[in-house]
Amino acid sequence: MQIILFGAPGVGKGTQAKILSSKFHIPHISTGDILRTAISKQTPLGKEVKEIVDRGDLVPDEMMGKLLEEALHDEKTKHGFILDGFPRTIQQAEILDKVLEHLSFPAKPTVIYLTSDDEVIVKRLSKRRTCSACGNIVNLNYLDDPTTCPYCGSKNTFVKRKDDEEDVIRNRLKVYHNTTAPVIGYYKDHAKVIEINGILPVEDVTEEILKKLS
Ligand code: AMP
């Protein structure tokens, strides 16, 4: 099973990818997570992309293509994968097609397209935090106690991503509409696309995905 989770930043691709990854026992590949790890470890890639990611712009396709190829070469992806955050341009979609062909993946990926509303996204992302102890993502709007991680119980461990500041969120949305959204047109011609309202509660989105996948 090869799944691409597609949609605007903050629509819930990462959350759904984690759920589907544990349900289907296939790896979750988040290009944003790979870049953030490289940035925090200050690797050569991390140093090169830091400013681009902090601004909310896109890392060049050629670099992303190499990164994707490396990620998909992993033995663990043999039985499938869930891609979150790739492709973000038509050129990346073409690169993905070539890499899948080169690695002899049998079927075309299924694209799960989570639709959204920009103002809801801005509200959501400005309250999004990551627990630095367990790595889970939370939204402060939905926590009874905004100082305690509901997953691991740690206190005061929430950190805000630099690119979740409002001006950067708005730039990421602009980049999404101008450059990434057209990719869905590419897939409507090339693959199976499942469209779901990503603004619904998390459990409802998962239920819809599972229903439509089966
Ligand atoms: P994400 O966690 O998917 O929202 O990605 C965070 C940031 O990483 C994006 O705003 C981009 O700067 C960069 N990034 C992640 N995936 C890609 C990609 N496929 N192409 C270009 N830049 C990317």
Side-chain angles (χ1 to χ4, degrees):
M1 182 180 286
Q2 301 148 39
I3 294 177
I4 296 173
L5 276 162
F6 189 86
V11 70
K13 301 186 295 293
T15 303
Q16 295 300 329
K18 281 198 178 75
I19 296 171
L20 298 175
S21 165
S22 75
K23 182 155 184 68
F24 295 121
H25 308 289
I26 49 177
H28 165 202
I29 302 170
S30 156
T31 46
D33 283 351
I34 296 173
L35 294 173
R36 278 184 291 279
T37 303
I39 292 170
S40 72
K41 290 189 173 161
Q42 299 188 8
T43 66
L45 169 73
K47 286 182 188 158
E48 212 170 331
V49 302
K50 183 180 184 319
E51 278 185 22
I52 303 174
V53 173
D54 284 352
R55 279 198 309 269
D57 287 333
L58 293 184
V59 173
D61 289 336
E62 202 188 316
M63 286 169 88
M64 293 310 300
K66 280 193 199 135
L67 186 150
L68 173 90
E69 191 156 5
E70 250 171 54
L72 289 183
H73 250 110
D74 194 315
E75 258 298 285
K76 291 185 201 132
T77 64
K78 218 168 62 184
H79 301 295
F81 54 81
I82 298 169
L83 265 186
D84 155 19
F86 192 101
R88 270 176 148 102
T89 66
I90 298 210
Q91 201 189 334
Q92 290 184 10
E94 290 167 351
I95 292 172
L96 176 62
D97 279 350
K98 284 201 192 106
V99 172
L100 292 181
E101 198 183 320
H102 179 65
L103 295 175
S104 307
F105 274 96
K108 289 267 178 207
T110 300
V111 180
I112 298 173
Y113 174 28
L114 301 178
T115 59
S116 55
D117 171 281
D118 282 4
E119 290 314 308
V120 175
I121 293 288
V122 173
K123 271 198 202 125
R124 259 196 200 178
L125 284 186
S126 50
K127 295 286 176 190
R128 175 167 78 173
R129 300 289 185 274
T130 306
C131 172
S132 57
C134 69
N136 276 297
I137 295 163
V138 299
N139 190 301
L140 297 183
N141 285 333
Y142 306 123
L143 294 184
D144 293 335
D145 173 2
T147 62
T148 306
C149 175
Y151 295 97
C152 69
S154 300
K155 276 206 167 291
N156 302 316
T157 47
F158 293 142
V159 288
K160 184 174 184 175
R161 273 169 52 171
K162 236 185 177 157
D163 59 351
D164 279 346
E165 295 299 339
E166 184 165 343
D167 54 335
V168 185
I169 296 170
R170 294 212 180 265
N171 184 43
R172 289 162 66 202
L173 283 168
K174 195 172 97 197
V175 170
Y176 171 74
H177 289 298
N178 290 343
T179 313
T180 304
V183 176
I184 205 66
Y186 175 90
Y187 280 118
K188 282 188 174 152
D189 294 336
H190 283 72
K192 182 176 174 194
V193 178
I194 292 172
E195 192 168 319
I196 290 163
N197 178 2
I199 297 306
L200 295 172
V202 172
E203 313 78 57
D204 296 358
V205 175
T206 309
E207 200 183 315
E208 280 292 299
I209 293 176
L210 295 177
K211 213 180 342 169
K212 293 198 174 168
L213 275 181
S214 65

